Amino acid sequence: MATIQDVAKLAGLSRTTVSRVINDHPYVAEEKKQLVTKAMKELNYVPNSSAQRLRKQATETIAVYVPRITNPFFSQLVESMENAAAQKGYQLILCQTRYKKKQELFYLELLRTKQVDGLVLTSIENNWSEIKPYLACGPIVLCNEYSDEAEVPVIHLDQIQGGYIGTKHLIEQGYTKIGYCSGNHKSSRVAADRRIGYLKAMEEAGLTVQPEWYYDSAYSVEDGKRIFSIIQNQKNRPDAVFTGSDEVAAGIAKAAKQAGWSIPEDLAIIGFDNQPLAELMDLTTIEQPIDMIGRLAMEKMIEEIQSKGMQKRKRTELPLKLVQRSST
Amino acid sequence: MATIQDVAKLAGLSRTTVSRVINDHPYVAEEKKQLVTKAMKELNYVPNSSAQRLRKQATETIAVYVPRITNPFFSQLVESMENAAAQKGYQLILCQTRYKKKQELFYLELLRTKQVDGLVLTSIENNWSEIKPYLACGPIVLCNEYSDEAEVPVIHLDQIQGGYIGTKHLIEQGYTKIGYCSGNHKSSRVAADRRIGYLKAMEEAGLTVQPEWYYDSAYSVEDGKRIFSIIQNQKNRPDAVFTGSDEVAAGIAKAAKQAGWSIPEDLAIIGFDNQPLAELMDLTTIEQPIDMIGRLAMEKMIEEIQSKGMQKRKRTELPLKLVQRSST
DNA sequence: CGAATTCATGAAATCGTTTTCATAAACCGA
DNA sequence: TCGGTTTATGAAAACGATTTCATGAATTCG
């Protein structure tokens, strides 16, 4: 591989001048510029990016943390982030935390070792106090999941509203015994907010919340099936359930149909995300503008990197929308 | 941020010795090792990876090309690759070619500029002749999609068998008017092979292939719906269709049910991939060991990087399996 | 005991860029 | 014409590690 030195020699100029041409600096004569360009082409030269990174102290690479890329919500988020990053000339390193604290901390080292210029977190496993020290090494932006203590830019959705409009819709449809499935609302702010919205809608309607209609650890299709079998065995059953994801809703719907139940007559179900799955399974759901938050988060990230300014907590909150189908 | 120099000074030793400790080289006294470790801890030191990359001429980073990460087949592939890479201490850069030749070529520059040690391609947009020159810059491994000219390691599935067992299953179920949906078999070896398998099974059974039952550009749920409406309007209709993905199959099934058709009585449908979707929609499908090929491809890649040996064309072909459900 | 290894350390070269600094020519206004 | 800017170039110093080479001390061996 040719180096800048080889180009300089072939062009009969110094490394400095070649570097100037590469970086489009002023004060280089048109004639020499031609010489350099010609030499670069002739040698098939491209600058070595490790050297550039070392010297420029920037990598033009951003790490994105997701629990698992196979979760459609996160893959869509990553898709939009990659698009936004590529547009601005940044690379994306994919980090799957696998819902593990340790894995998340392990990847944080990328920032310390200067392998990336910044971090976008879409989920948070550790306490913010564990993550905070890494802010000294580069900017962090939160997208989707967030934490109140974190003094960094946050792009997220109005999950309280999400929980509220979903539950309210069920109430308006005439359901009164409304169950609730969610992930862990103690560690996840997203889950906690939705729960607040749910409780608010229930309270407004004067409905009571039955503890036995609260189903937790709900993430996957399998969890949905498991939850259905719990419902099936309950004496006092809900007539509708609010779920935290289309997968969970789909799992419940599938198991219910297999058991001979009619949806929504025997059980109304509402999903979350409006994934392609929701349309196929005819699920009422809450649509989140995923592409939008992904793009906004990435743009914010790049802005942070380029401004090198101090990070302020700056919250951007986007609204959600109900999509009605035949499951409610 | 502390540098190796700072550590050396604090420990009262030379950079060389510190470097030896970092890289676990022999010939460093236990006592000094302790000193260095202590100094590193005290300064919260980690080696700057740009500097390491430059000096070691290796990035420990691998680029993975996929058309779109939101396609569940590819997100599962990426998930398994990321797992395998992380296990061996490698990072993954995600490149979405978006089915565009230009985008693919653009990302190839990552290899030339030494931003990554190697490339795993899961789809190929350009002619191999366009890609070949980049082999001089580092190893390339093909996973899933492949090309006959490419003299590189290939990990792929036996798509001929896939087309064959799917079609044969339909024939065994008593269907004779078998339609076929696929992507572009001219540019994709995967699609071409499946077609070969389909034709083989049809020929063996003495069935004729109707050109009007060949539906192309089939990739998404939407395409499936479009194809169903074509079928619906045909005078001479197929009684079963083989599809190249669960999404297409799901789209056809959904549209068919909406039109009041019964599956499989009015139309049998077979999918491909065995995604979660297939189970939810009760689709017979062909299961591909995606995690396996992802892991194998990544391991092969790392082997290539570490051996620095010449690349030989070495094909690994894995078998597929039919999963029967109620759509056939 | 002397020669040959092995062990332990550091100075300096190296990886391939960019940036700073120095220098000189060209231009410009009074 | 003279000082002062603007333009154009290159030598050398970063950036932060690893690797080569040299050197001496400690150990082993015949």
Side-chain angles (χ1 to χ4, degrees):
Chain A
M1 287 286 117
T3 73
I4 199 173
Q5 185 67 275
D6 302 327
V7 175
K9 190 180 286 177
L10 183 60
L13 292 162
S14 72
R15 295 202 302 273
T16 314
T17 306
V18 177
S19 173
R20 285 211 180 88
V21 173
I22 295 170
N23 295 284
D24 218 20
H25 280 178
Y27 303 149
V28 40
E30 187 56 37
E31 168 206 9
K32 318 270 164 154
K33 202 173 198 165
Q34 300 296 337
L35 279 173
V36 170
T37 316
K38 184 160 160 277
M40 293 204 294
K41 202 157 263 172
E42 201 163 320
L43 293 170
N44 198 21
Y45 167 83
V46 273
N48 176 304
S49 72
S50 298
Q52 286 185 316
R53 287 171 174 218
L54 175 58
R55 184 60 238 223
K56 290 187 176 168
Q57 302 281 57
T59 66
E60 312 221 303
T61 304
I62 292 162
V64 173
Y65 289 41
V66 296
R68 288 186 64 186
I69 189 69
T70 42
N71 180 319
F73 174 82
F74 292 107
S75 69
Q76 200 177 330
L77 207 46
V78 168
E79 170 173 275
S80 64
M81 287 192 195
E82 202 266 344
N83 287 341
Q87 213 163 40
K88 308 237 172 187
Y90 280 74
Q91 254 69 58
L92 218 87
I93 286 197
L94 179 69
C95 305
Q96 296 187 96
T97 60
R98 304 182 190 89
Y99 299 103
K100 302 251 173 67
K101 288 189 184 191
K102 216 173 141 189
Q103 191 68 24
E104 184 174 270
L105 286 175
F106 168 79
Y107 278 126
L108 280 168
E109 291 298 308
L110 291 179
L111 197 55
R112 279 188 70 206
T113 59
K114 297 269 179 285
Q115 291 202 45
V116 298
D117 293 341
L119 249 48
V120 180
L121 307 183
T122 67
S123 76
I124 308 177
E125 305 303 326
N126 292 274
N127 283 330
W128 182 252
S129 58
E130 299 282 329
I131 298 172
K132 194 176 178 184
Y134 290 90
L135 266 176
C137 309
I140 296 179
V141 165
L142 302 184
C143 176
N144 178 49
E145 193 56 271
Y146 64 106
S147 151
D148 284 323
E149 307 131 69
E151 309 243 317
V152 299
V154 182
I155 316 289
H156 73 117
L157 298 161
D158 189 345
Q159 304 290 353
I160 298 184
Q161 180 216 4
Y164 182 77
I165 59 173
T167 311
K168 191 159 181 204
H169 166 73
L170 290 171
I171 295 167
E172 283 170 356
Q173 297 291 105
Y175 303 101
T176 54
K177 301 160 74 174
I178 300 173
Y180 184 84
C181 308
S182 93
N184 188 338
H185 65 270
K186 275 175 194 148
S187 62
S188 161
R189 189 56 208 268
V190 168
D193 279 0
R194 283 191 197 159
R195 193 176 155 80
I196 292 172
Y198 161 75
L199 294 172
K200 186 175 152 213
M202 292 293 276
E203 191 180 359
E204 273 184 19
L207 295 171
T208 50
V209 174
Q210 295 281 348
E212 57 181 326
W213 295 341
Y214 175 71
Y215 312 96
D216 65 359
S217 303
Y219 301 99
S220 63
V221 170
E222 284 313 309
D223 292 327
K225 291 181 177 175
R226 174 177 56 73
I227 288 166
F228 174 74
S229 76
I230 297 176
I231 293 177
Q232 203 175 14
N233 291 322
Q234 287 178 325
K235 280 200 196 91
N236 183 20
R237 294 177 187 157
D239 57 7
V241 278
F242 176 98
T243 70
S245 81
D246 288 334
E247 283 98 330
V248 173
I252 296 178
K254 176 84 207 287
K257 280 180 202 161
Q258 267 178 337
W261 290 31
S262 295
I263 308 290
E265 290 77 12
D266 298 321
L267 183 70
I269 306 170
I270 184 165
F272 216 105
D273 290 350
N274 197 23
Q275 288 168 16
L277 179 61
E279 200 247 319
L280 286 168
M281 303 279 293
D282 273 324
L283 299 169
T284 293
T285 190
I286 311 248
E287 179 172 309
Q288 314 195 69
I290 305 185
D291 287 342
M292 173 86 87
I293 61 168
R295 189 167 53 74
L296 286 178
M298 189 48 69
E299 283 169 0
K300 188 74 195 167
M301 176 84 264
I302 293 172
E303 198 182 296
E304 291 287 326
I305 292 171
Q306 290 176 348
S307 76
K308 286 165 195 163
M310 281 297 91
Q311 294 209 329
K312 284 171 226 144
R313 173 166 184 76
K314 201 180 139 187
R315 234 162 106 160
T316 308
E317 194 175 57
L318 300 178
L320 301 170
K321 206 178 79 192
L322 185 88
V323 177
Q324 190 177 2
R325 298 207 179 85
S326 72
S327 73
T328 58
Chain B
M1 288 284 118
T3 73
I4 198 173
Q5 185 66 276
D6 302 328
V7 176
K9 190 180 286 176
L10 183 61
L13 292 162
S14 72
R15 294 203 302 272
T16 315
T17 305
V18 177
S19 174
R20 285 210 181 87
V21 172
I22 296 170
N23 294 282
D24 218 20
H25 280 178
Y27 302 150
V28 40
E30 187 55 36
E31 168 207 6
K32 318 272 165 151
K33 201 173 199 166
Q34 301 296 337
L35 280 174
V36 170
T37 317
K38 183 159 161 278
M40 291 203 296
K41 201 156 266 173
E42 201 163 318
L43 293 170
N44 198 22
Y45 167 83
V46 272
N48 177 304
S49 73
S50 298
Q52 286 184 314
R53 287 171 174 218
L54 175 57
R55 184 61 239 223
K56 291 188 175 168
Q57 301 280 55
T59 64
E60 315 221 300
T61 304
I62 292 163
V64 173
Y65 289 40
V66 296
R68 289 186 64 186
I69 190 69
T70 41
N71 180 318
F73 175 82
F74 292 107
S75 70
Q76 201 177 330
L77 207 47
V78 167
E79 170 173 275
S80 63
M81 286 192 195
E82 202 268 343
N83 286 341
Q87 213 163 39
K88 308 237 172 186
Y90 279 74
Q91 254 70 57
L92 217 86
I93 287 197
L94 180 68
C95 305
Q96 296 187 95
T97 61
R98 305 184 189 90
Y99 299 102
K100 301 251 174 68
K101 288 190 185 191
K102 216 172 142 190
Q103 191 68 24
E104 184 173 88
L105 287 175
F106 168 77
Y107 278 126
L108 281 169
E109 290 299 308
L110 292 179
L111 197 54
R112 280 187 70 206
T113 59
K114 298 268 178 285
Q115 292 204 44
V116 298
D117 293 341
L119 249 47
V120 180
L121 307 183
T122 68
S123 75
I124 309 177
E125 304 304 326
N126 291 274
N127 284 330
W128 182 251
S129 58
E130 298 283 330
I131 298 173
K132 194 176 177 183
Y134 291 91
L135 265 176
C137 310
I140 296 178
V141 164
L142 302 183
C143 176
N144 179 49
E145 192 57 90
Y146 64 107
S147 149
D148 285 322
E149 308 131 70
E151 309 244 317
V152 300
V154 182
I155 317 288
H156 73 117
L157 298 160
D158 190 344
Q159 305 289 355
I160 297 184
Q161 181 217 3
Y164 182 78
I165 60 175
T167 311
K168 193 161 177 203
H169 166 74
L170 290 172
I171 294 168
E172 283 169 356
Q173 296 293 102
Y175 303 102
T176 52
K177 300 159 75 175
I178 302 175
Y180 183 85
C181 307
S182 94
N184 187 339
H185 65 271
K186 275 175 194 149
S187 64
S188 161
R189 190 54 208 270
V190 168
D193 279 0
R194 282 190 198 159
R195 193 178 156 80
I196 292 172
Y198 161 74
L199 294 173
K200 187 173 151 214
M202 292 294 276
E203 191 180 1
E204 272 184 21
L207 295 171
T208 51
V209 174
Q210 294 281 350
E212 55 182 327
W213 295 340
Y214 175 70
Y215 312 96
D216 64 359
S217 305
Y219 301 98
S220 64
V221 171
E222 284 313 309
D223 292 327
K225 291 181 178 175
R226 174 177 53 77
I227 288 166
F228 173 74
S229 77
I230 296 175
I231 292 177
Q232 203 176 14
N233 290 322
Q234 287 179 323
K235 280 200 196 90
N236 183 22
R237 294 176 186 159
D239 57 8
V241 278
F242 176 100
T243 70
S245 82
D246 288 334
E247 282 99 329
V248 174
I252 295 179
K254 175 85 209 287
K257 281 180 201 161
Q258 268 178 334
W261 291 30
S262 296
I263 306 293
E265 290 77 11
D266 297 322
L267 183 69
I269 306 170
I270 183 165
F272 216 105
D273 291 349
N274 197 23
Q275 288 167 17
L277 179 61
E279 201 247 319
L280 286 168
M281 302 279 294
D282 273 323
L283 297 170
T284 295
T285 189
I286 311 250
E287 180 172 309
Q288 314 195 70
I290 305 185
D291 287 343
M292 172 85 86
I293 60 168
R295 190 167 52 74
L296 286 178
M298 191 46 70
E299 284 169 358
K300 187 74 196 168
M301 176 84 263
I302 293 173
E303 198 181 297
E304 290 286 326
I305 291 171
Q306 290 176 346
S307 76
K308 286 166 195 162
M310 280 298 90
Q311 293 208 330
K312 283 170 224 143
R313 173 167 183 76
K314 201 178 140 189
R315 235 162 105 160
T316 308
E317 193 174 59
L318 299 177
L320 301 170
K321 206 177 80 192
L322 186 89
V323 177
Q324 191 177 0
R325 299 207 179 85
S326 72
S327 74
T328 58

